[in-house]
């Protein structure tokens, strides 16, 4: 038996040497190591040997099998290496790379940057403030006393926190105007700041109302500031954002913390003023509230209104973005729908 095994090994090795490609090697494998291969059949017959021979034959048989298998692997590798060097394409086990999905900036961020850039170019500094505010800053110090009907202009989210008097003095800011007070308390004129930030209103949402939105507030206080400064600054801002040919219109409006108060509009950049859907046929688009800082507001922060005057303004950021990009529903901004957000990829910052 041992001789037959050795003989088979020699024959198998010689035949393997002759195999010149993968297909020949596979036939060789079937011929020797396959289920009906020569070695397999020989090994099977070991069981029929007398017990005293069986052990040695079994060990030798297994050795031959291991040797042939090792030789087979080596030959396979050699054939593959040869194929590679002759230019036959090797088996490509790599997947094409996955391109990383690049994000883009949110339309709110894009618009915020545009607005801040326009104002910083005019000498304004950008500051931020708290979203959870005291009643004092959000209303009281802005000349909106408790129980004054003007509070109805801002539907408020109150914090569930009571002071000793049983009042709820904290809220989610309904506008960025409270920062006017905080800035004036901390600094002395000249002041020129813009304050972008998130605001909250207890609001039934629809296409033009959302309970979370952004405003950009502005404040300039100094000696000798007049309504002409307000108009000149906001006019220049409108031209920078909406085009150099823009015209602006100021009309009286009421806000408790300014006197006089105005609402500012630009001529419609879609129709040029003749009337279209964007401007609801009027030719004008309102873009912000503004006014001369009320003397009472100045007095409260310790400024003498005979010495200092100032102007303030506040705009709704999403509204401007909606005009700029033709967005017809404010709820799209914060509903995280990628089909909407993706459209701003690559929009200039
Ligand atoms: N805070 C006002 C609002 O939310 C907007 C506003 C109007 C701000 C006039 C101002 C201003 O600074 O002068 O409706």
């Amino acid at each position: 038996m041992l001789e037959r095994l050795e003989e088979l090994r020699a024959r198998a090795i010689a035949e393997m040497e002759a195999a010149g490609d993968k297909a020949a090697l596979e036939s060789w494998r079937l011929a020797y190591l396959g289920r009906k291969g020569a070695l397999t059949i020989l090994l099977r017959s070991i069981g029929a040997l007398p017990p005293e021979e069986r052990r040695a034959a079994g060990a030798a048989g297994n050795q031959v099998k291991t040797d042939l298998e090792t030789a087979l692997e080596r030959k396979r590798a050699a054939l593959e290496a040869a194929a590679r060097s002759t230019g036959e394409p090797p088996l490509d086990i790599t997947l094409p790379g996955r391109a990383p999905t690049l994000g883009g900036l949110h339309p709110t961020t894009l618009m915020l940057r545009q607005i801040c850039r326009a104002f910083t170019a005019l000498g304004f500094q950008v500051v931020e403030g708290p979203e959870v505010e005291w009643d004092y800053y959000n209303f009281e110090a802005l000349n909106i006393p408790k129980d004054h009907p003007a509070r109805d202009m801002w539907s408020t989210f109150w914090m569930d926190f009571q002071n000793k008097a049983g009042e709820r003095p904290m809220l989610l800011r309904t506008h960025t105007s409270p920062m006017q007070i905080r800035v004036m308390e901390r600094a002395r004129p000249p002041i020129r700041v813009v304050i972008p930030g998130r605001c909250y209103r207890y609001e039934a949402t629809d296409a033009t109302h959302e309970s979370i939105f952004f405003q950009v507030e502005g404040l300039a206080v100094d000696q000798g500031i007049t309504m002409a400064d307000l108009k000149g600054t906001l006019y220049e801002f409108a031209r920078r954002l909406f085009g150099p040919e823009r015209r602006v219109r100021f009309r009286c409006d009421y806000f408790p913390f300014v006197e006089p108060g105005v609402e500012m509009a630009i001529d419609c950049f879609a129709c040029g003023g003749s009337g279209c859907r964007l401007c609801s046929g009027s030719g004008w688009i309102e873009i912000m509230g503004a006014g001369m800082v009320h003397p009472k507001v100045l007095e409260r922060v310790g400024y003498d209104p005979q010495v200092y005057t100032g102007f303030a303004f506040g705009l709704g950021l999403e509204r401007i973005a909606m005009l700029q990009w033709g967005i017809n529903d404010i709820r799209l901004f914060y509903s995280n729908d990628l089909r909407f957000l993706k459209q701003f990829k690559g929009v200039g910052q």
Side-chain angles (χ1 to χ4, degrees):
M1 185 56 157
L2 296 180
E3 280 152 35
R4 284 177 64 196
L5 279 167
E6 277 315 313
E7 186 195 319
L8 184 136
R9 180 213 295 272
R11 185 157 36 93
I13 294 288
E15 246 176 62
M16 180 196 283
E17 298 293 325
D21 58 24
K22 275 193 213 164
L25 195 62
E26 179 60 9
S27 326
W28 177 91
R29 190 187 68 80
L30 291 173
Y32 287 96
L33 300 173
R35 220 154 32 85
K36 292 182 182 153
L39 180 64
T40 317
I41 290 167
L42 194 57
L43 290 181
R44 228 177 269 146
S45 69
I46 289 177
L49 292 177
E52 59 279 15
E53 279 176 47
R54 214 183 290 159
R55 232 179 109 107
N62 281 337
Q63 187 59 49
V64 171
K65 186 166 183 211
T66 317
D67 290 350
L68 290 187
E69 280 168 353
T70 314
L72 172 67
E73 282 317 310
R74 219 176 281 140
K75 180 76 182 178
R76 224 180 238 155
L79 282 178
E80 267 168 27
R84 228 172 288 146
S85 66
T86 56
E88 188 182 311
L91 178 62
D92 181 3
I93 57 161
T94 60
L95 274 175
R98 285 191 196 136
T101 31
L102 281 185
L105 291 174
H106 191 279
T108 299
T109 308
L110 290 166
M111 187 41 73
L112 198 127
R113 290 188 180 183
Q114 278 188 24
I115 294 173
C116 288
R117 188 174 315 124
F119 281 113
T120 50
L122 295 173
F124 284 74
Q125 190 187 344
V126 179
V127 295
E128 289 181 290
E131 290 172 24
V132 179
E133 250 312 353
W134 297 96
D135 178 319
Y136 177 78
Y137 288 105
N138 197 86
F139 291 126
E140 203 77 26
L142 286 168
N143 201 27
I144 314 168
K146 273 189 191 54
D147 307 319
H148 190 284
R151 287 209 178 189
D152 295 347
M153 286 167 75
W154 297 276
S155 334
T156 310
F157 283 115
W158 295 94
M159 302 301 287
D160 195 8
F161 154 69
Q162 288 191 351
N163 62 13
K164 288 200 185 108
E167 299 158 338
R168 288 187 300 168
M170 296 198 87
L171 46 82
L172 295 180
R173 68 176 173 197
T174 58
H175 50 178
T176 42
S177 304
M179 271 303 283
Q180 291 187 27
I181 309 297
R182 287 182 178 273
V183 168
M184 286 192 285
E185 276 181 353
R186 245 182 283 146
R188 286 293 158 218
I191 289 172
R192 277 160 186 68
V193 288
V194 282
I195 307 125
R198 196 178 276 118
C199 304
Y200 302 83
R201 288 200 197 162
Y202 183 53
E203 199 104 66
T205 60
D206 62 29
T208 54
H209 295 85
E210 179 55 288
S211 49
I212 299 180
F213 58 95
F214 276 73
Q215 284 190 347
V216 179
E217 190 81 12
L219 177 70
V221 186
D222 205 345
Q223 293 186 23
I225 288 197
T226 69
M227 187 91 183
D229 297 303
L230 180 159
K231 291 176 81 173
T233 306
L234 296 183
Y235 184 38
E236 181 56 26
F237 162 72
R239 288 162 46 101
R240 281 173 186 257
L241 213 71
F242 295 104
E245 64 287 353
R246 285 287 67 74
R247 291 184 298 143
V248 298
R249 182 190 70 181
F250 292 93
R251 292 206 301 198
C252 286
D253 202 346
Y254 170 69
F255 301 98
F257 35 92
V258 285
E259 180 59 35
V262 295
E263 148 243 288
M264 175 181 152
I266 54 174
D267 63 331
C268 179
F269 49 82
C271 64
S274 56
C276 67
R277 255 179 55 189
L278 188 66
C279 57
S280 335
S282 73
W284 294 96
I285 298 174
E286 290 156 22
I287 61 168
M288 66 172 105
M292 299 305 289
V293 181
H294 200 291
K296 280 196 182 165
V297 173
L298 294 171
E299 268 166 12
R300 198 183 277 268
V301 292
Y303 291 8
D304 181 350
Q306 299 301 321
V307 179
Y308 294 111
T309 49
F311 66 83
F313 54 88
L315 57 84
L317 186 139
E318 291 83 1
R319 180 170 153 70
I320 303 238
M322 287 167 81
L323 292 169
Q324 185 95 313
W325 291 312
I327 300 166
N328 58 13
D329 194 324
I330 193 173
R331 291 168 294 193
L332 287 166
F333 281 87
Y334 308 114
S335 53
N336 287 337
D337 188 333
L338 281 178
R339 290 170 302 180
F340 170 70
L341 297 172
K342 269 184 185 162
Q343 297 179 52
F344 297 90
K345 252 169 114 169
V347 171
Q349 304 172 19

